[in-house]
Amino acid sequence: MLTDRRSELTSTFPTGRRRYDAPQSTGAPTTDCEWSVREPRRDYDEDAQNDPTRDAISNRERESIDQHVEVAGDSADTVREEPMNPVPLVLGVALLVVTVTDLLWTTLWVEGGAGPLTTRVMSWTWRTTRTVGGRRPRVLTLAGPLTLLLGLAVWIGLLWAGWTLVFAGAENSLIDTRDTGPISWIERLYFVGYSLFTMGNGDFTPKDGIWQIVTALTTATGMLFITLIVSYVISVLEAVTQKRAFASNVSGLGQRGETIVRTAWNGETFRGLELPLNSFTGDINELATKHKAYPILHYFYSDQRTYATVLSIVALDEALTLLRFGVPESERPSKAVLENARSSVGNYIELVTSSFGHTAGQAPPSPDLDIVREADVPTVADETFAKALAESAERRKRLLGLVEADARDWPLSEDD
């Protein structure tokens, strides 16, 4: 039976194709069974190696693995290599710092007045308007609106430019969702624009990671600062209206100090003047606060004498000077009311002079006591009045400086 089994295996697996021999170290003879069991494994291995289908599958597997390795390598290189442009990045951050500081300074800091950048814009616009328009009132009335619009344009433009430069700090900061290729400067401006003004999604999206956070900051600054700008504009226009209402109220009593004194004299006393003086004092204090918070108010010029705040302040202060130094003490209005009004006007003059006006080289013309005497108002001697005016010369010089800074002349009559 063993012989027949050996013949069968031998016919199936020829002996000439044997690859393995029995181990010789043991000294044991190789049996037919051991030899016949090893032969099929050897023959199968050789047939598998010669199978072309197996080679094709192996090649496809190797190609797939190589492709995955190449893609992973490219991704790693992309993550690892982020081309940066430090110059536009640093410049953009600097512009944002300057703009945000000036904007917050101007809109939120009441005691700080206008920011350094806004102050230069206001001064340059007013000088340019005066150079172009001279003393033509209609041209000067444009100074206030132009200053306001130019200041807003500078803020928005610098914010826009600053964020655009920040996004230019990396080549791959933005991704075009429609086309491939590099992002142009116009496309960066477009992306920052619709992010800054919260216009929704556009054709570009920030790259994952830090640029998503930068985009969120861009949108946040747009919402916050545009809201602040709108509130600032509304507050400024309200202050302009209040400023003109005050001028109109003072002009109702007279457009010169002498006229106000004559109007207030009832033939016996100035008793009826105390109520409007108290009202004017409150208005001047509030107006001074508004001028401190919004220095742009200085540049809103009115071509109508009735609404010219500077000339109304001149008329009121000249009237207070006449009442304080030109009228005998027994005939004056309440001392508390009179001194409070003079103090408020003095604070206003000092505040506005520090930011807008200047101190004139000489004092303006003195109030005319003769005009007051024509209404039978009791007055002091001319020498006494002149001496008192000399003590107030510095105050009156600053007042004249405000008139000159406002491109006006000192009023010498009701028609001036």
Side-chain angles (χ1 to χ4, degrees), residues 33 36 86 88 101 131 134 155 158 164 194 199 206 216 224 232 234 245 280 284 323 325 349 366:
C33 252
S36 62
T101 301
T131 301
W155 283 339
L158 289 181
T164 301
Y194 72 69
M199 296 168 58
L224 174 62
Y232 174 77
I234 294 175
F280 293 156
I284 291 172
L323 292 171
F325 303 111
I349 295 172
S366 302

Side-chain angles (χ1 to χ4, degrees), residues 372-413:
V372 175
R373 291 173 182 142
E374 291 175 0
D376 296 328
V377 177
T379 62
V380 299
D382 291 340
E383 296 77 8
T384 304
F385 184 62
K387 182 179 179 180
L389 285 182
E391 296 176 356
S392 303
E394 192 65 23
R395 173 186 177 120
R396 303 186 73 243
K397 287 180 180 179
R398 289 199 296 266
L399 195 56
L400 177 58
L402 287 182
V403 174
E404 294 174 347
D406 203 43
R408 300 182 189 275
D409 296 320
W410 187 267
L412 298 177
S413 67

Side-chain angles (χ1 to χ4, degrees), residues 51-373:
D51 187 359
T53 303
R54 178 176 179 270
D55 294 339
I57 294 174
S58 299
N59 290 335
R60 286 197 300 270
E61 291 177 350
R62 282 194 297 271
E63 290 176 358
S64 177
I65 292 173
D66 292 342
Q67 290 177 356
H68 281 81
V69 170
E70 183 178 355
V71 170
D74 292 342
S75 300
D77 291 340
T78 302
V79 173
R80 188 169 53 250
E81 297 178 3
E82 182 74 20
M84 298 296 293
N85 297 324
V87 174
L89 180 61
V90 172
L91 184 58
V93 171
L95 279 179
L96 290 176
V97 170
V98 171
T99 306
V100 170
T101 301
D102 188 83
L103 195 154
L104 295 178
W105 185 326
T106 304
T107 59
L108 296 182
W109 191 10
V110 176
E111 295 297 325
L117 183 61
T118 301
T119 300
R120 287 169 173 78
V121 170
M122 293 189 301
S123 178
W124 178 85
T125 305
W126 175 247
R127 287 199 306 268
T128 303
T129 305
R130 289 195 60 177
T131 301
V132 173
R135 287 296 188 96
R136 287 176 289 180
R138 297 299 295 175
V139 176
L140 295 177
T141 57
L142 299 175
L146 285 177
T147 303
L148 182 60
L149 291 176
L150 186 58
L152 302 183
V154 168
W155 283 339
I156 294 175
L158 289 181
L159 282 176
W160 200 335
W163 282 119
T164 301
L165 289 170
V166 168
F167 279 98
E171 294 293 337
N172 301 322
S173 59
L174 300 178
I175 299 173
D176 192 340
T177 59
R178 296 183 308 172
D179 303 317
T180 60
I183 305 296
S184 67
W185 282 96
I186 297 298
E187 291 169 335
R188 288 190 180 91
L189 280 171
Y190 168 65
F191 171 79
V192 170
Y194 72 69
S195 297
L196 194 64
F197 298 107
T198 62
M199 296 168 58
N201 295 326
D203 304 324
F204 304 91
T205 183
K207 189 177 180 181
D208 292 347
I210 187 64
W211 295 110
Q212 291 177 316
I213 298 176
V214 174
T215 302
L217 289 175
T218 304
T219 303
T221 55
M223 295 177 62
L224 174 62
F225 295 143
I226 290 176
T227 302
L228 283 177
I229 289 172
V230 172
S231 301
Y232 174 77
V233 171
I234 294 175
S235 299
V236 168
L237 295 181
E238 288 179 351
V240 171
T241 302
Q242 180 182 357
K243 171 183 174 181
R244 294 186 176 183
F246 164 77
S248 177
N249 290 334
V250 174
S251 298
L253 291 178
Q255 297 182 354
R256 291 189 64 192
E258 297 91 338
T259 306
I260 294 176
V261 172
R262 291 181 56 169
T263 303
W265 178 252
N266 63 6
E268 295 180 358
T269 64
F270 291 101
R271 191 176 303 276
L273 185 59
E274 294 177 359
L275 182 60
L277 283 182
N278 282 327
S279 177
F280 293 156
T281 299
D283 292 341
I284 291 172
N285 289 336
E286 188 173 357
L287 195 59
T289 303
K290 294 292 181 65
H291 271 276
K292 181 68 174 178
Y294 311 114
I296 194 174
L297 290 177
H298 309 326
Y299 304 98
F300 278 86
Y301 185 94
S302 176
D303 59 345
Q304 300 181 42
R305 170 66 179 83
T306 305
Y307 300 114
T309 306
V310 171
L311 296 183
S312 295
I313 289 290
V314 168
L316 181 59
D317 191 65
E318 291 288 86
L320 294 174
T321 299
L322 284 169
L323 292 171
R324 175 64 178 82
F325 303 111
V327 175
E329 185 175 358
S330 59
E331 306 294 338
R332 297 172 190 167
S334 169
K335 183 178 180 180
V337 173
L338 190 60
E339 293 300 328
N340 192 24
R342 277 182 53 81
S343 175
S344 296
V345 174
N347 291 336
Y348 177 88
I349 295 172
E350 183 178 357
L351 173 65
V352 178
T353 300
S354 64
S355 59
F356 176 69
H358 62 273
T359 300
Q362 59 183 5
S366 302
D368 193 347
L369 283 179
D370 291 335
I371 297 178
V372 175
R373 291 173 182 142

Side-chain angles (χ1 to χ4, degrees), residues 29-62:
T30 303
T31 63
D32 292 339
C33 252
E34 290 173 349
W35 180 85
S36 62
V37 170
R38 286 194 297 269
E39 284 292 41
R41 185 188 305 170
R42 169 198 52 109
D43 191 62
Y44 174 78
D45 290 342
E46 289 186 1
D47 292 341
Q49 291 176 359
N50 296 326
D51 187 359
T53 303
R54 178 176 179 270
D55 294 339
I57 294 174
S58 299
N59 290 335
R60 286 197 300 270
E61 291 177 350
R62 282 194 297 271

